[in-house]
Amino acid sequence: MENSVKRMKELVQILNDAARAYYQESREIMTNFEYDKLYDELLALEKESGTVLAGSPTVNVGYEVLSSLPKEAHPSKMLSLDKTKDREELAAWLGEQRGVLSWKLDGLTIVLTYEGGELVKAVTRGNGQIGEVVTQNVKVFANVPVNIAYKGRLVLRGEALIKYSDFEKINAEIEDADAKYKNPRNLCSGSVRQLNSRITAERRVHFYAFSLVSTEPLDKADDGSENAVPSVQDKINLSDGGAGAVYFGNSRLAQFEWLAQQGFDVVEHVSVSAENIKEAIEEFAQKVKKSDLPSDGLVLTYDDIEYGYSLGSTSKFPRDSIAFKWKDETAETTLLEIEWSASRTGLINPVAIFDPVDIEGSTVSRASVHNVSIVKELELGIGDTISVYKANMIIPQIAENLTRSGSLEIPGKCPVCGEHTEIRSENGVETLVCVNADCLAKQIKWFTLFVSRDAMNIEGLSEATIEKLIAMRLIAEPADLFCVENYKNEITNMEGFGEKSFANLVTSVERARNTTAARLLYSLGIPGIGTANANLISRACRNDWERIKNITREELIEIDGIGSIMADNYRAFFDNPEKRRIAEDIYKQVIIEREFEADGEENSDIAGRTFVVTGSLSYFKNRDELKELITKLGGKVAGSVSKKTDYLINNDIASGSSKNKSAKENGVPIITEEQFIAEILKDTQLLRD
């Protein structure tokens, strides 16, 4: 018993850490296969011992709300669903009843309330007991009806999600590979929980209804007539259920039909019995491979509403529904090699190469292993027998290592530049990093930063194109980009480039020649010198490039927001003859604007004050947008907190971050984004615009 409890404690910690990383931090520390395996082990131990520990993911429902959105308690606790991967078990669960089988969509659950035919409230599932009010954002979803024909009170649930096709379009617009979103679910969650509904609208979030919670008809309409629910069939009438709920002909199918008539997109569903449910599951299994909607399984619900209510619920699961998760088809194969792929950030990511196997109708021969921690956890070695699967029937993953030789050597040299690597640990996750600052992979990132919107803003140069130009030796340093017109033949013969693309590129390069000192300074990629600090230094030097490159360490430290480490990095760059030459070569190709004073209206609560912005934002699209607004209103934005800082803007006031600690030590007020808008921006015209 003692050993069981010890193991349960370990599993609770591991599973909660994995869930927190995936749902709240958009990173993955274990595969879905591994998570499910450990979850099932914990569940078995709990059943065997009769003990359930506090904090166990088998009893906790959802996560605590962390944002600054308004919060609201649900009338009753929203439970999660019990699950199975066994088709026979699903048929046995249904028994002699008829059921409704539908997608289990992988997004964010939302509860909608309509009164008088108008959408009046939308609340997220949150932790199952308290959700966040996101009404304004839901009103800009791509397919949610703001008004419906039914004028009584209607409460329903559904899943908000971003389609794969829209997700790919959004990611395609992000040039930096490391800044791309990890998956549609996390992007959807962040989009729905914005404080700025404009951003939500841009993300094309869709809503699919999956449950009618309740309806309450008005006694009389304005014209004195009865305001009844329109019938879907003659037998479907409004009547009072045993649990006080209102339902339609005692049929879930009929509810779906009626919701569709009101203008809602309802989750795809079919009527099933124990006799045909396996066939229905197989049809969904074929569809999931081509579906544009993120899904992680199916949901089976009794069609007979009253029967479902009569079964009640456990402390975590309702008994009228059950989730079916795809039983991952696995195949054994041999690990041939681990390909170490260097990224623009210096991270070197492991990719498993194995003998090709057929899984879920396609041939796979490679799978990401994500990081060094997972390599060690799987005890990988070349020649090992591994089993592989497709997560959610799509993404190839290693399920387990059957031989676990543990003989794989972590490379001590970067596969790109051949310089030394090192293993670094952050939040318990080990990664392999190239330490060579001049690695070609990092140069590509530097070039990408150089052409980015906040730097020189040269359109038409993706990372892939830059990589080709470097490989063809057409460019060796950023200044060479201003001479691309000399290589028309070579560039127009590149894959994906023609006469028109080349002409557009040349036009973009010429337009980029007119720039600001701050943009040029930021484009150099000096450690610690982001857009905010580049603006601070440029303003302090009145946009004079000679002063910018020759400013002393002491003068830098005098600038509020520039610390000693930044100043050292800055001087190290300009004191390096080669890097100074590179900067001078760029300067010779551009024309610097000399305006000094900030444009736009000034706000008396902002002008002359210094702000530091950190953490994720909800109202503003990103931190750069907020920083730009502060600058326009006459304020200053620093990169670090000091005694000269007036405010630290951080939505997570209670966090133990270094900036929060520094703010408290220096007596700097920490305010949320909402407080900044309400108390400092106030009636600013720019905000209204």
Side-chain angles (χ1 to χ4, degrees), residues 112 114 119 138-139 141-147 205-207 263-264:
L112 304 185
Y114 288 78
L119 174 61
V138 170
K139 286 182 177 180
F141 280 10
N143 66 335
V144 164
V146 179
N147 296 95
V205 182
H206 286 72
F207 177 86
F264 295 99

Side-chain angles (χ1 to χ4, degrees), residues 26 54 65 238 252 274 289 314 337 344 378 537 556 559:
S26 300
V65 174
L238 190 64
R252 294 286 183 190
K289 301 170 187 176
T314 69
E337 65 173 301
R344 280 61 172 161
L378 290 170
I537 295 170
L556 283 166
I559 301 173

Side-chain angles (χ1 to χ4, degrees), residues 615-635:
S616 60
L617 300 178
S618 297
Y619 183 88
F620 294 92
K621 191 172 184 178
N622 50 42
R623 290 196 293 267
D624 287 339
E625 185 178 65
L626 174 53
K627 292 174 182 177
E628 183 179 352
L629 176 60
I630 291 172
T631 302
K632 282 185 177 180
L633 297 176

Side-chain angles (χ1 to χ4, degrees), residues 567-637:
D568 288 339
N569 288 335
Y570 190 95
R571 285 307 336 150
F573 181 92
F574 282 106
D575 290 340
N576 181 308
E578 179 62 14
K579 291 183 178 179
R580 192 179 182 94
R581 180 194 63 76
I582 289 173
E584 282 300 295
D585 286 347
I586 299 170
Y587 178 71
K588 292 173 184 176
Q589 296 288 342
V590 301
I591 300 171
I592 299 291
E593 299 172 4
R594 294 299 300 271
E595 291 84 5
F596 169 66
E597 295 299 332
D599 58 349
E601 65 169 303
E602 289 208 347
N603 179 293
S604 58
D605 290 322
I606 293 179
R609 295 191 176 188
T610 300
F611 296 80
V612 174
V613 183
T614 189
S616 60
L617 300 178
S618 297
Y619 183 88
F620 294 92
K621 191 172 184 178
N622 50 42
R623 290 196 293 267
D624 287 339
E625 185 178 65
L626 174 53
K627 292 174 182 177
E628 183 179 352
L629 176 60
I630 291 172
T631 302
K632 282 185 177 180
L633 297 176
K636 300 177 183 178
V637 181

